[in-house]
Amino acid sequence: MGSHGDPGPVREPAFRHPLPDNERDPMATEVKDVPENNRYVITSDGEEAGFAEYILTDTMITFTHTEVDPAFEGKGVGGTLVREALDDVRARGLSVLPMCPFVKAWIARHPEYTDLVYQ
């Protein structure tokens, strides 16, 4: 400590993660499409942590509802789920209709995904 209660110089961490704290993925997660249930599911260390329900057509996927288990809220699970689902959708050449407010808001915060949105 410096004189008169001054804490001295503030040290910056050696590495800053490129994602905001609430979108980091510190847990071992896996996202899978489960087409028989019309949803993408995210698991964390083998435990289901959340899902994103959808309606699929030949050219478009409509995300209708996303849910994260309360035990996993605030840990970036929802963001990881949406990011990986949208990456899969892109690879499949589909458009996205984000009816789910969470998915819609996530895309709005990540403009690199707006090209997927159905016009």
Side-chain angles (χ1 to χ4, degrees):
M1 266 186 133
S3 62
H4 306 294
D6 177 18
V10 176
R11 289 183 177 222
E12 291 294 321
F15 172 75
R16 285 186 184 262
H17 199 282
L19 295 175
D21 287 344
N22 64 344
E23 290 187 24
R24 291 185 195 171
D25 187 15
M27 300 170 281
T29 59
E30 182 178 20
V31 175
K32 287 185 181 178
D33 184 15
V34 185
E36 61 273 16
N37 293 337
N38 295 319
R39 60 174 53 177
Y40 284 89
V41 174
I42 186 167
T43 57
S44 175
D45 297 323
E47 182 180 350
E48 186 171 314
F51 60 85
E53 293 180 334
Y54 61 79
I55 299 168
L56 181 64
T57 68
D58 290 339
T59 60
M60 183 170 56
I61 188 166
T62 301
F63 285 99
T64 58
H65 179 69
T66 302
E67 202 169 297
V68 172
D69 184 294
F72 295 95
E73 287 179 358
K75 298 179 181 178
V77 170
T80 298
L81 170 60
V82 172
R83 180 185 307 277
E84 292 193 24
L86 292 176
D87 287 346
D88 183 59
V89 167
R90 184 185 303 280
R92 294 165 61 183
L94 299 171
S95 294
V96 173
L97 184 57
M99 298 301 292
C100 168
F102 183 82
V103 174
K104 187 173 187 174
W106 192 93
I107 291 172
R109 289 190 316 273
H110 297 86
E112 65 273 24
Y113 288 90
T114 57
D115 63 302
L116 293 174
V117 177
Y118 176 77
Q119 300 297 323

